[in-house]
Amino acid sequence: MHIRLLLFLSLVFISACSTAQFPYSSKNKKAIKLLEEAQKAPDQYFDPSTGPNYKKGIELSEQAIAKDPLFWEAYLVTAEFYERSRNYEKAIEYYKKTLEIEPGHSISGSTYFFLSACQLAMGQYEDAAASIDRFLRNPNANENLIGQARQIQTNANFAKNAVKNPRPFNPINCGPGINTRYSEYFPALTVDGKTMLFTRLLPDSRNAKFPEQEDFFVSNKLDDVWQTAVPMPQNVNTANNEGAPTLSPDGRSLIFVACSDETGIYYGENREGKGSCDFFYTKRIGSRWTNPINLPGNVNTSNWETQPSLSSDGKTMYFIRGIRGQGGKRDSDIYVTYLQKDGTWGTPQRLPNSINTPLQEESVHIHPDGKTLYFASRGHQGMGGSDLFVTRMDENGNWSKPENLGYPINTMYDENSLMVSAEGDIAFFASNRQGGYGGLDIYYFELPKEVRPVKTLYFDGKVFDAISKQSLPGHFQLTDIKTGKVMIISDADKMDGSFMVPLPINREYAISVTYPGYFPYSINFNLVIPDGKNSYHLDIPMNPENSNQENVLANVFFDLGKSTLRPESKVELTDFANYLKSNAKLKIELGGHTDSRGNKADNLKLSNDRAKAVYDFLISNGVAAERLSFKGYGSNEPIISDEKINLLGTEEEKEQAHQKNRRTVYKVVP
């Protein structure tokens, strides 16, 4: 006999029936026999490909009802089978009929619990709240269901209020370039918003047991229209499943999930895994993707790792780990791992219980601002099913209480696969809503301001030899000048020297670019970008070490009229000291320059004092004094002449020109 009916029958007030094994309310022997056959049917007619045969059970239990229309136990079994088949509408109908025939059939009142769960799943929030309240008011309520009941109560009350206070939501299909009659989901976007990588579920006739298979496709945006997506090359897409990608901001590095075949061992040609589904890594050099390798480090296990999300600095990755529990149930939580100095990924850490719940978390996405995390969960206050949430990291590394994105972004259905653009105003997600091209389609919508991240734009350009103009794969380090925190570590493309990295706005950044055989290149800028602008372009000309070109230490700062180094100067000067110590043959002259304003003699002294301050710092950090000299040039060698400055149109442009003339430089001397 089915377990839920046993629970009820142990608590009923109905008198025993002498002809039945249990005290059924019906005395119709044929009805009782049909009900007992119905209870066995899901397991008796079990199909390995589809699971328990609830359809057969419903067919038999409804025959029992036809024999005795007041047989409440048959209604109860029918309701449960419809619920387990996810036909919640019919389940509600039969639970209500059970209560109508025999309102007091259970001391525990558990039917109200199951009824409310179905009502919540159908978006009947008022009814769900009323049903669950009735269950919780019962002094004999089943203690095993109390915790779940309070979650249903919380969700139903939240959902009632959310529906009354909807947020703006107008999802737009990404169009036929991306979406097809098949399912498309798990979008990943480059930081400039021009390239999308996503998963497509395709029919596969090669394996009767698994008739569908996941592959990656790529679409580029041209004139605001997504072009026809093309598959990733065959060394990335295989006969097995590939899915849930995360791209580096420049689109040149890819971490994705690949699963074994039914043997649990074979991951595809030239691939090795550790069990179930693993992360693999590939890098694009020019137009070619390298053969994927199992992600180095301690992330992959015999468990199920999936849905990675890489931070903008490339050093942090959030992901979902599924652990198979009792009865084969898989619980999933959000983990984080950090890139180690040796290039491997460290042992993952589970995010705190304020984010992870006893129920499933999935579909995690860290925004390029590095502090705003979006994810889907069944365990937080929501609309029922899986809802989308946002949490933000503070300056101390603590996460805020997750906030539901609200209705109608979240509904009674399962929502997941959310990705937010670098600018933070547009979000992408997958949905099988009506009006699409078929299956799951990828949509975008304007994200409500309350749940947006910090606006992030992209910084791009090319690295090249300042003399020959040949492209260079320079190594980048971008530092927040105020905090001293390294925000981005990246490399320009090996083939064309191009780069693209995301940066949160309203911060001042120090940029250092290095490449063997070249002097370090540095620059700083205050990234306050007017509305409507989403990028900052800068080309990086690097001087060979055998040249006598002037090199600017752009991240060396002094207060107005003073020669004392400001604390934020020490980031660049420490790096420069390390560079000189690793290039022991170089001898350099440090030069100080001012703008043309003020007294000439004073400017000359100030520039000399500033050059000496840098000289003293380098010596104190281990650079031999005999390799260094310093000289002040005052305003004698401007980059931009006063005549050209006077022709500039605005005071802001003139001030920027004067600022370029105020500089600390170095050059090689014999």
Side-chain angles (χ1 to χ4, degrees):
M1 182 170 291
H2 204 270
I3 188 169
R4 191 179 290 180
L5 187 56
L6 280 171
L7 171 68
F8 282 112
L9 292 179
S10 66
L11 299 170
V12 293
F13 287 149
I14 309 299
S15 60
C17 173
S18 60
T19 60
Q21 182 181 356
F22 286 89
Y24 292 116
S25 62
S26 177
K27 298 185 182 302
N28 187 307
K29 293 181 180 180
K30 289 184 178 180
I32 292 171
K33 183 179 179 181
L34 285 165
L35 176 60
E36 292 182 342
E37 289 177 2
Q39 293 161 28
K40 299 173 186 176
D43 295 331
Q44 185 175 344
Y45 297 95
F46 183 90
D47 185 335
S49 63
T50 58
N53 194 331
Y54 295 117
K55 183 178 180 181
K56 182 65 175 178
I58 291 169
E59 179 184 321
L60 291 167
S61 61
E62 287 186 332
Q63 289 178 23
I65 290 171
K67 296 292 183 184
D68 184 350
L70 298 179
F71 193 3
W72 66 261
E73 294 93 336
Y75 284 98
L76 189 62
V77 169
T78 309
E80 180 184 351
F81 288 171
Y82 273 125
E83 180 184 355
R84 291 179 180 270
S85 304
R86 298 194 174 188
N87 188 337
Y88 301 117
E89 185 175 8
K90 295 293 288 186
I92 291 169
E93 176 187 336
Y94 279 82
Y95 279 133
K96 284 184 174 180
K97 189 65 176 178
T98 304
L99 291 164
E100 179 185 323
I101 295 170
E102 185 52 61
H105 64 270
S106 169
I107 293 175
S108 70
S110 296
T111 298
Y112 285 105
F113 171 87
F114 298 114
L115 173 61
S116 68
C118 293
Q119 289 168 330
L120 184 67
M122 286 297 294
Q124 299 174 10
Y125 301 122
E126 296 280 356
D127 292 343
S131 296
I132 205 64
D133 286 348
R134 186 158 184 172
F135 169 76
L136 288 169
R137 286 198 306 269
N138 188 332
N140 299 309
N142 185 342
E143 292 183 0
N144 295 326
L145 300 177
I146 293 293
Q148 297 176 61
R150 296 205 184 282
Q151 180 73 28
I152 291 174
Q153 184 183 52
T154 298
N155 287 345
N157 289 328
F158 169 83
K160 283 195 302 180
N161 183 64
V163 170
K164 293 175 183 176
N165 298 277
R167 283 177 165 164
F169 183 56
N170 180 33
I172 300 171
N173 194 292
C174 286
I178 289 176
N179 296 313
T180 66
R181 60 192 177 97
Y182 305 115
S183 284
E184 287 81 22
Y185 45 95
F186 287 135
L189 204 66
T190 52
V191 71
D192 63 358
K194 295 178 181 178
T195 301
M196 184 187 293
L197 177 69
F198 59 91
T199 306
R200 179 174 288 165
L201 185 64
L202 295 166
D204 186 358
S205 59
R206 293 170 294 187
N207 190 331
K209 189 174 181 180
F210 300 101
E212 295 177 310
Q213 185 252 344
E214 294 175 316
D215 274 342
F216 289 137
F217 283 74
V218 181
S219 175
N220 294 309
K221 184 185 278 189
L222 182 64
D223 296 330
D224 213 32
V225 176
W226 290 104
Q227 304 301 296
T228 301
V230 296
M232 285 285 278
Q234 292 184 351
N235 67 326
V236 176
N237 284 336
T238 69
N240 293 339
N241 287 325
E242 287 81 28
T246 182
L247 279 170
S248 61
D250 60 5
R252 290 193 175 93
S253 294
L254 170 65
I255 297 175
F256 65 94
V257 180
C259 299
S260 65
D261 62 9
E262 61 267 28
T263 67
I265 300 173
Y266 184 67
Y267 283 78
E269 189 175 352
N270 299 319
R271 291 186 190 175
E272 293 184 0
K274 297 184 179 179
S276 189
C277 294
D278 278 8
F279 293 132
F280 286 79
Y281 170 79
T282 178
K283 187 174 181 65
R284 181 166 61 87
I285 299 174
S287 60
R288 185 182 66 85
W289 289 92
T290 61
N291 289 332
I293 60 171
N294 197 279
L295 190 70
N298 301 313
V299 177
N300 289 324
T301 66
S302 59
N303 291 309
W304 173 64
E305 282 84 27
T306 189
Q307 298 168 21
S309 182
L310 197 62
S311 64
S312 60
D313 62 4
K315 299 188 295 183
T316 304
M317 186 176 74
Y318 298 85
F319 68 96
I320 301 297
R321 172 172 286 169
I323 299 176
R324 200 174 289 280
Q326 294 182 348
K329 181 182 177 182
R330 195 190 296 275
D331 294 320
S332 57
D333 283 336
I334 302 172
Y335 285 75
V336 62
T337 178
Y338 301 98
L339 188 64
Q340 309 298 296
K341 290 183 179 179
D342 63 359
T344 66
W345 290 90
T347 301
Q349 304 167 21
R350 181 180 176 274
L351 291 196
N353 290 337
S354 60
I355 293 176
N356 286 314
T357 70
L359 301 181
Q360 288 179 326
E361 276 70 46
E362 57 187 356
S363 191
V364 63
H365 168 64
I366 184 69
H367 185 263
D369 70 1
K371 294 184 175 182
T372 308
L373 191 76
Y374 297 90
F375 65 98
S377 174
R378 297 179 181 274
H380 290 285
Q381 176 178 272
M383 307 291 294
S386 177
D387 275 16
L388 296 167
F389 296 85
V390 59
T391 177
R392 296 175 174 86
M393 183 190 292
D394 64 20
E395 295 300 325
N396 298 317
N398 299 314
W399 293 101
S400 66
K401 180 181 178 181
E403 178 184 356
N404 191 292
L405 295 193
Y407 176 85
I409 298 171
N410 289 318
T411 66
M412 62 185 179
Y413 302 109
D414 289 345
E415 274 77 36
N416 58 34
S417 236
L418 187 81
M419 183 198 63
V420 180
S421 67
E423 292 186 70
D425 56 343
I426 299 297
F428 296 81
F429 73 110
S431 174
N432 61 352
R433 61 187 58 236
Q434 290 185 346
Y437 291 86
L440 289 166
D441 279 2
I442 296 175
Y443 290 77
Y444 68 94
F445 65 96
E446 188 173 341
L447 197 63
K449 292 182 179 179
E450 302 89 340
V451 292
R452 289 182 185 179
V454 175
K455 180 178 179 179
T456 302
L457 52 77
Y458 65 94
F459 164 57
D460 71 341
K462 288 192 175 185
V463 184
F464 57 91
D465 185 306
I467 298 173
S468 71
K469 311 304 180 186
Q470 180 180 351
S471 298
L472 299 173
H475 179 74
F476 280 84
Q477 182 169 298
L478 287 88
T479 305
D480 185 320
I481 291 177
K482 182 179 179 181
T483 64
K485 181 182 177 182
V486 175
M487 301 294 292
I488 299 287
I489 294 178
S490 185
D491 293 287
D493 186 78
K494 289 184 178 180
M495 301 296 289
D496 62 12
S498 62
F499 63 88
M500 181 167 56
V501 295
L503 292 174
I505 65 169
N506 297 325
R507 295 184 186 181
E508 192 171 4
Y509 292 98
I511 301 172
S512 173
V513 186
T514 59
Y515 189 68
Y518 289 81
F519 292 116
Y521 179 95
S522 66
I523 194 169
N524 72 83
F525 54 90
N526 196 338
L527 207 59
V528 179
I529 301 297
D531 289 343
K533 190 169 183 180
N534 61 5
S535 66
Y536 188 99
H537 182 85
L538 181 68
D539 288 334
I540 309 292
M542 300 191 71
N543 290 321
E545 289 174 352
N546 59 6
S547 70
N548 60 355
Q549 299 294 313
E550 177 183 274
N551 299 279
V552 179
L553 292 167
N555 298 309
V556 173
F557 306 102
F558 301 93
D559 285 330
L560 182 65
K562 295 183 179 180
S563 60
T564 303
L565 286 166
R566 280 167 37 190
E568 54 264 42
S569 305
K570 295 177 182 179
V571 173
E572 175 161 11
L573 289 181
T574 299
D575 288 342
F576 187 51
N578 291 333
Y579 167 78
L580 290 175
K581 286 186 286 186
S582 65
N583 292 268
K585 294 182 179 180
L586 292 177
K587 292 185 178 181
I588 65 165
E589 179 198 274
L590 297 160
H593 297 265
T594 67
D595 61 39
S596 60
R597 296 174 294 186
N599 181 276
K600 259 200 163 185
D602 290 343
N603 284 342
L604 188 63
K605 182 179 185 306
L606 179 63
S607 65
N608 193 73
D609 291 346
R610 286 179 171 179
K612 186 178 185 303
V614 175
Y615 170 87
D616 291 339
F617 182 94
L618 295 175
I619 291 174
S620 69
N621 279 267
V623 181
E626 58 268 21
R627 298 176 56 200
L628 304 175
S629 60
F630 64 90
K631 182 178 180 180
Y633 290 89
S635 58
N636 296 326
E637 296 184 2
I639 294 175
I640 305 173
S641 68
D642 282 351
E643 290 78 7
K644 288 184 178 179
I645 291 176
N646 291 332
L647 293 174
L648 295 174
T650 67
E651 290 302 316
E652 183 180 357
E653 289 174 326
K654 292 177 181 178
E655 181 55 41
Q656 289 174 351
H658 283 302
Q659 188 173 336
K660 283 186 178 181
N661 288 335
R662 299 192 301 269
R663 65 199 188 278
T664 302
V665 302
Y666 67 92
K667 62 182 178 181
V668 175
V669 293

